[in-house]
């Protein structure tokens, strides 16, 4: 079994199985108990009303409308609709694996407030089946991973670098310069460079960006759906030759070595 955190999920090539989703409504006073532990992972979005969660027989927290919760496989708890109103929500059950090994998300009872990015994804999951519900699940997990990583970064000593780091990671195909990154962080270029290197363990901002681009290139090449030239263009390299030089510098081999046929 492999243990991961939400912040790591977006960077992993995970496979989802046992995916099921639906919309449920409960009357006031109704409850659900998992006395021997959940048999799968749960993502639940509270549409209306509230649910009270009990851990070890004691009230622990409430889930309110507009909030979602992740509960990992094996969790023992009871949830109950309390108050006079009904409770409605959308659930998504699933299992995860990586290279045929079970993946456990080691973050029990993680709650998130919806900032507008999740309600549509959950509604899509509840109405679709097959590949479409899996696609919605992957999108939800990716968004939760990004949200978790951003939160962790903002709580660390490198919180002031967050705007630049997020800009680098989300704009791999766009040109950047140190001055613009420093301005995003309200820092001088010198201070920005120094703090960025402390964050990365000595890697300069533009080299950090190059590594991100090559990591993304590896994913695209391994998929077998893109040529070297197409990958170079999608990641904003000046031309294929520029991409190949950068790739070989960081990987020690040409990008063609990452194509599926190269291992056969």
């Amino acid at each position: 079994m492999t243990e991961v955190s939400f912040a790591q999920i977006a960077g992993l090539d995970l496979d989802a199985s046992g995916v099921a989703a639906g919309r449920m409504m409960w009357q006031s006073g109704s409850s659900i108990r998992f006395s021997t532990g959940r048999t799968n992972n749960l993502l639940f979005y509270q549409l209306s009303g509230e649910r009270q969660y009990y851990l070890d027989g004691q009230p622990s927290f409430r889930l309110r409308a507009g909030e979602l919760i992740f509960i990992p496989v094996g969790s023992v708890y009871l949830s109950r609709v309390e108050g006079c109103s009904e409770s409605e929500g959308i659930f998504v059950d699933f299992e995860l694996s990586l290279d045929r090994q079970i993946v456990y998300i080691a973050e029990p009872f993680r709650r998130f407030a919806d900032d507008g990015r999740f309600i549509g994804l959950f509604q899509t999951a509840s109405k679709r089946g097959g590949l479409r519900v899996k696609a919605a699940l992957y999108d939800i997990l990716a968004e939760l991973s990004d949200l978790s990583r951003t939160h962790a970064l903002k709580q660390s000593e490198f919180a002031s670098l967050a705007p630049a780091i997020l800009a680098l990671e989300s704009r791999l195909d766009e040109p950047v310069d140190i001055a613009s990154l420093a301005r995003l962080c309200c820092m001088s270029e010198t201070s920005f460079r120094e703090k960025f290197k402390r964050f990365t363990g000595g890697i300069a901002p533009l080299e950090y960006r190059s590594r991100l681009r090559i990591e993304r290139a590896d994913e695209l090449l391994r998929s077998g759906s893109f040529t070297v030239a197409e990958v170079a263009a999608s990641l904003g390299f000046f031309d294929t030759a520029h991409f190949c030089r950068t790739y070989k510098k960081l990987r020690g081999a040409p990008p063609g070595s990452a194509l599926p046929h190269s291992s056969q």
Side-chain angles (χ1 to χ4, degrees), residues 149-239:
R149 190 169 184 278
T150 300
H151 177 75
L153 179 60
K154 289 181 176 179
Q155 298 303 309
S156 74
E157 63 175 299
F158 301 105
S160 58
L161 294 177
I165 293 168
L166 296 175
L168 286 171
E169 295 180 348
S170 62
R171 305 172 191 171
L172 296 180
D173 60 335
E174 300 177 13
V176 296
D177 61 83
I178 301 301
S180 63
L181 293 175
R183 283 196 297 272
L184 283 174
C185 302
C186 300
M187 301 168 68
S188 69
E189 289 188 39
T190 300
S191 296
F192 174 75
R193 288 178 187 273
E194 291 176 351
K195 192 162 190 176
F196 196 95
K197 284 187 175 182
R198 285 197 287 115
F199 168 72
T200 60
I203 301 172
L206 296 185
E207 182 184 353
Y208 179 83
R209 176 174 179 264
S210 291
R211 295 190 181 198
L212 291 175
R213 296 169 91 191
I214 296 306
E215 288 175 3
R216 177 58 178 156
D218 279 333
E219 294 175 5
L220 297 175
L221 291 168
R222 285 195 297 264
S223 74
S225 300
F226 304 91
T227 66
V228 171
E230 288 170 336
V231 172
S234 70
L235 291 173
F237 283 90
F238 182 73
D239 54 26

Side-chain angles (χ1 to χ4, degrees), residues 3-12 14 70 104-107 110 112 140-153 169:
E3 290 193 3
V4 301
S5 66
F6 262 114
Q8 296 173 304
I9 287 178
L12 300 174
L14 298 172
F70 166 76
Y104 177 75
I105 303 176
E107 298 193 24
R110 180 75 185 273
F112 301 86
I140 292 169
L141 291 175
E143 292 289 352
L144 289 175
S145 182
D146 289 344
L147 194 62
S148 297
R149 190 169 184 278
T150 300
H151 177 75
L153 179 60
E169 295 180 348

Side-chain angles (χ1 to χ4, degrees), residues 24-240:
M24 300 288 289
M25 180 174 287
W26 295 268
Q27 299 296 319
S28 177
S30 62
S31 63
I32 300 175
R33 180 189 298 273
F34 288 88
S35 56
T36 58
R38 291 194 61 87
T39 57
N40 46 31
N41 298 297
L42 171 72
L43 281 166
F44 181 78
Y45 189 103
Q46 188 77 27
L47 292 170
S48 64
E50 296 183 358
R51 296 190 72 84
Q52 176 71 53
Y53 284 78
Y54 292 80
L55 305 180
D56 297 324
Q58 300 298 318
S60 181
F61 60 87
R62 286 179 180 268
L63 190 69
R64 297 177 170 82
E67 295 180 335
L68 57 144
I69 188 171
F70 166 76
I71 303 177
V73 60
S75 297
V76 175
Y77 64 98
L78 178 144
S79 68
R80 175 180 293 145
V81 181
E82 298 186 344
C84 300
S85 61
E86 297 176 333
S87 171
E88 185 178 10
I90 298 171
F91 72 89
V92 183
D93 288 335
F94 63 97
E95 298 172 353
L96 293 175
S97 61
L98 177 64
D99 298 328
R100 299 184 180 179
Q101 296 292 318
I102 295 174
V103 170
Y104 177 75
I105 303 176
E107 298 193 24
F109 297 92
R110 180 75 185 273
R111 286 183 293 165
F112 301 86
D114 187 13
D115 57 4
R117 73 179 83 181
F118 293 107
I119 179 61
L121 293 173
F122 273 88
Q123 289 175 334
T124 297
S126 69
K127 296 176 183 177
R128 305 290 183 89
L131 290 176
R132 288 186 173 86
V133 69
K134 276 193 176 184
L137 170 63
Y138 285 135
D139 285 340
I140 292 169
L141 291 175
E143 292 289 352
L144 289 175
S145 182
D146 289 344
L147 194 62
S148 297
R149 190 169 184 278
T150 300
H151 177 75
L153 179 60
K154 289 181 176 179
Q155 298 303 309
S156 74
E157 63 175 299
F158 301 105
S160 58
L161 294 177
I165 293 168
L166 296 175
L168 286 171
E169 295 180 348
S170 62
R171 305 172 191 171
L172 296 180
D173 60 335
E174 300 177 13
V176 296
D177 61 83
I178 301 301
S180 63
L181 293 175
R183 283 196 297 272
L184 283 174
C185 302
C186 300
M187 301 168 68
S188 69
E189 289 188 39
T190 300
S191 296
F192 174 75
R193 288 178 187 273
E194 291 176 351
K195 192 162 190 176
F196 196 95
K197 284 187 175 182
R198 285 197 287 115
F199 168 72
T200 60
I203 301 172
L206 296 185
E207 182 184 353
Y208 179 83
R209 176 174 179 264
S210 291
R211 295 190 181 198
L212 291 175
R213 296 169 91 191
I214 296 306
E215 288 175 3
R216 177 58 178 156
D218 279 333
E219 294 175 5
L220 297 175
L221 291 168
R222 285 195 297 264
S223 74
S225 300
F226 304 91
T227 66
V228 171
E230 288 170 336
V231 172
S234 70
L235 291 173
F237 283 90
F238 182 73
D239 54 26
T240 304

